[in-house]
Amino acid sequence: MIEVKLEELSEHTGTLVSHSPWLTITQDMIEAFADATGDHQWIHVDVERAKRESPWKSPIAHGYLTVSLISRLNPQALKVTGPTATINYGLNKLRFPSAIKSGSDIRSKVELLDVAQVDEHRTLATYRTTIEIKGEDKPACVAENLAMYVA
């Protein structure tokens, strides 16, 4: 993990890169997400059918489960000290180049793209977060995500 003071964050634009620890995507996580969202498509929750019929020969994680894990993984890769709150401000870009098979290990790679002072209390940081899959060439997700730091 990298730790950076908020007032020094802009000095690292274009150079700051950090990785979270690996996280295993379990079938229980996939099914809990399906229950929370109502997305019970068989490629996610029907293990036996997915093994037989899906192109991945395994159930796969929902794309939006992957995106939601950015808020879990990125703070394990990068800690910005100083703000009283950090707010998920949204996404500029989002792509899912590859699926995550149930049981796979993933991690986030965080790159600082830009830092902008919004006003005297708020700083907006733009990151490129790449969700990597252990042993795979293509990432599961590439997102340009925004974090608003409130001082």
Side-chain angles (χ1 to χ4, degrees):
M1 173 192 288
I2 294 176
E3 191 170 311
V4 179
K5 293 179 183 178
L6 178 58
E7 61 268 14
E8 298 171 358
L9 188 61
S10 64
E11 298 169 18
H12 301 281
T13 301
T15 63
L16 180 67
V17 178
S18 185
H19 292 87
S20 72
W22 293 102
L23 172 69
T24 301
I25 302 301
T26 66
Q27 189 61 34
D28 286 343
M29 291 169 70
I30 294 169
E31 290 176 15
F33 189 84
D35 289 342
T37 62
D39 181 354
H40 291 93
Q41 188 176 24
W42 67 268
I43 61 172
H44 305 301
V45 297
D46 189 333
V47 174
E48 293 310 313
R49 184 176 177 190
K51 286 179 180 179
R52 285 190 322 269
E53 298 178 30
S54 83
W56 305 278
K57 301 300 180 199
S58 169
I60 59 169
H62 303 74
Y64 286 110
L65 168 58
T66 307
V67 173
S68 71
L69 290 171
I70 289 173
S71 63
R72 177 176 176 175
L73 295 170
N74 282 9
Q76 297 177 52
L78 172 66
K79 180 177 181 181
V80 177
T81 60
T84 58
T86 301
I87 299 166
N88 175 0
Y89 200 68
L91 302 166
N92 288 338
K93 298 177 184 177
L94 175 63
R95 297 290 182 267
F96 300 108
S98 187
I100 302 172
K101 296 177 189 176
S102 179
S104 295
D105 293 325
I106 65 167
R107 70 177 179 182
S108 67
K109 175 179 148 185
V110 182
E111 301 172 82
L112 178 63
L113 301 178
D114 188 49
V115 178
Q117 193 68 41
V118 176
D119 59 32
E120 64 182 281
H121 299 289
R122 297 179 301 154
T123 302
L124 182 64
T126 304
Y127 297 96
R128 179 183 304 112
T129 297
T130 304
I131 303 297
E132 301 174 332
I133 308 168
K134 188 182 274 185
E136 300 287 334
D137 293 332
K138 291 187 349 184
C141 175
V142 181
E144 189 173 289
N145 59 297
L146 308 171
M148 182 71 73
Y149 298 111
V150 182

